[in-house]
Amino acid sequence: MEGRFPLAEGRGWLAVREEKGRVKCTAQLPNDGKGLYKCWLTGSGGMALLGTFVPQGNGLGLERTLSVDELKRQGAWPPEGGQAVLAFSFGREQPPPRGWMRENAPGQLLGEPLLAQAAGGPALLRREAEGFSLAYPYRPDRPFPLTPLFCFARLEELEGRPYLRFPFKPGGCPRLEDQL
């Protein structure tokens, strides 16, 4: 199986080649100087982290080989696409909205491995008596964050910007709003 998928709104690409139970993933992005990017392989059942892009020539590159079995366990086989996510910004960041803090690794807060993989990052975190909430900037032209929890998302405006908020119980299990 071979495939090539666009990354970063077509500015980069992710190539996938399977041979004898092993999958070689190669990706490239332009180096925009904004920060560190991570690459994810996406499938119908989840996402698999491929790693962090590193400088290569005038751009950023990544190579990773994984087993088909590992990608199946993470729900990313067969692949349906890829994502390049800014994981750490070099520039001045806007401060988080009042009552929220930046969480670079939101997956570590979640109890279910599938959700932890899908969480990506970064996100906004708010601690609450009932647990916590994660919020991701919302743009209809970008991949939906935390896809397995689509039905739990609440579209909210935080300081003038749209966010998708996901509520969780302590330990990282999804929480319905009426369970407050």
Side-chain angles (χ1 to χ4, degrees), residues 6 16 19 33 53 62 73 92 113 131 157 162:
V16 178
E19 239 178 66
F53 284 91
L62 174 135
R73 277 191 293 278
R92 281 182 56 211
E157 193 170 293

Side-chain angles (χ1 to χ4, degrees), residues 5 14 24 27 32 37 40 42-43 52 67 73-74 78-79 82 88-89 111 116 129 146 153 157 162:
F5 307 101
L14 168 63
K24 181 175 182 180
D32 60 12
Y37 287 86
W40 298 81
T42 60
T52 303
S67 71
R73 277 191 293 278
Q74 296 183 50
F88 178 81
S89 176
L146 269 172
E157 193 170 293

Side-chain angles (χ1 to χ4, degrees), residues 109-158:
L109 302 170
L110 306 180
E112 167 63 39
L114 174 68
L115 297 180
Q117 285 291 328
L124 295 178
L125 170 67
R126 182 177 68 198
R127 300 281 182 188
E128 302 160 348
E130 307 82 14
F132 63 94
S133 285
L134 293 176
Y136 292 84
Y138 174 67
R139 286 190 42 193
D141 61 333
R142 296 279 171 102
F144 194 89
L146 269 172
T147 306
L149 296 180
F150 176 85
C151 294
F152 288 85
R154 298 280 189 216
L155 184 59
E156 294 184 4
E157 193 170 293
L158 301 175

Side-chain angles (χ1 to χ4, degrees), residues 27-63:
Q28 286 191 348
L29 282 178
N31 190 353
D32 60 12
K34 290 183 179 178
L36 297 176
Y37 287 86
K38 292 197 178 285
C39 188
W40 298 81
L41 182 65
T42 60
S44 64
M47 301 168 50
L49 178 62
L50 299 177
T52 303
F53 284 91
V54 295
Q56 271 185 355
N58 293 332
L60 300 172
L62 174 135
E63 285 190 21

